[in-house]
Amino acid sequence: MSFIKRCSLLLSMLPLTCFAQGKCEVELGHGLIITDSVIRIVDKGQTRVQINNDTQLLIQGYWIDLSEQETQVLYEYSKGIRDTVPELVSLATDGVNLGLSAIEQVVEGMSDKEPEVLKTQLQYVERALMDKFKRGDDFFFIAPQSLSKIDDFFTKEISQKIHSAVHGSLGAILVSLGDAFKSREGNIEDRITDMSQRMDIITKEIDKSLEKKAQQLENKAEEYCECLNTLDETEARLQAIVPDLTAYDLVQIRS
């Protein structure tokens, strides 16, 4: 398999999710932590609203007594969250670790060791992602953010950080290669130029991968919009029942 095809295959693991601009202007006003039995609406690291087993509501730690009919609305709200948010988190996180590892493998293949700058920069990429989206064995987390601009987060912030990681490691690789070539025959300058061109290929393949994912996942935008609009309507019904919930408005639809 050629170098370019290998890069393309490995880097195609990098994810991107987006919403079609103009179709879905949605913001999450608070962070969410979702487990099998509990949903937490969090603000500044503190749980403000908690839903247990989709049927029990607590606000600021205080139990809210609901009738059977009101509990049904809470159930619909909880189910709406579970039907949308975990999938968003999965789309945002699936393949990231594999994709970042792929970059490391490609770079390591050019030198006898991984430049420390690459490891540090890739840690910045992972940290930026985990500040927005995180998934564990038994939980999902999503931070308060504009869901209609998730594509900007990946194509601008994450892409830029990956570019910095790849090009930031170029200097260390060239130094290593220069040392290795000193005792060998051949034109060192030509080899270094070739290495620089290869690094450019890697970053271009990253961009192509991100754009391809954007196109694939854009088809889901309308589906998400419909689900989130329904969730917003259910939230409004629940807020009418429990007015204290308006202080923790989760789904905010922009006209």
Side-chain angles (χ1 to χ4, degrees), residues 47-67:
T47 298
R48 307 301 183 184
V49 177
Q50 181 170 320
I51 303 173
N52 297 331
N53 299 311
D54 303 326
T55 57
Q56 300 170 345
L57 177 65
L58 292 88
I59 300 178
Q60 294 278 38
Y62 291 95
W63 186 287
I64 306 300
D65 190 27
L66 299 174
S67 68

Side-chain angles (χ1 to χ4, degrees), residues 176-188:
S176 175
L177 287 174
D179 292 339
F181 292 151
K182 281 180 180 178
S183 59
R184 301 181 186 178
E185 295 182 359
N187 190 305
I188 296 177

Side-chain angles (χ1 to χ4, degrees), residues 10-25:
L10 291 172
L11 295 170
S12 66
M13 300 176 191
L14 290 170
L16 176 69
T17 184
C18 67
F19 290 80
Q21 294 295 327
K23 287 186 178 181
C24 191
E25 292 294 330

Side-chain angles (χ1 to χ4, degrees), residues 63-110:
W63 186 287
I64 306 300
D65 190 27
L66 299 174
S67 68
E68 184 176 343
Q69 186 175 8
E70 292 168 343
T71 300
Q72 180 60 33
V73 178
L74 176 64
Y75 174 81
E76 292 174 18
Y77 179 60
S78 180
K79 189 174 186 301
I81 292 174
R82 293 185 181 280
D83 287 346
T84 53
V85 174
E87 185 173 6
L88 292 178
V89 175
S90 294
L91 285 170
T93 57
D94 274 349
V96 170
N97 291 333
L98 289 174
L100 298 181
S101 296
I103 295 174
E104 290 182 287
Q105 291 170 12
V106 171
V107 172
E108 283 178 352
M110 299 176 182

Side-chain angles (χ1 to χ4, degrees), residues 205-219:
E205 289 300 321
I206 290 171
D207 288 337
K208 287 181 182 178
S209 175
L210 292 174
E211 290 171 5
K212 183 178 179 180
K213 277 293 183 183
Q215 187 62 44
Q216 291 173 341
L217 294 170
E218 189 174 342
N219 296 331

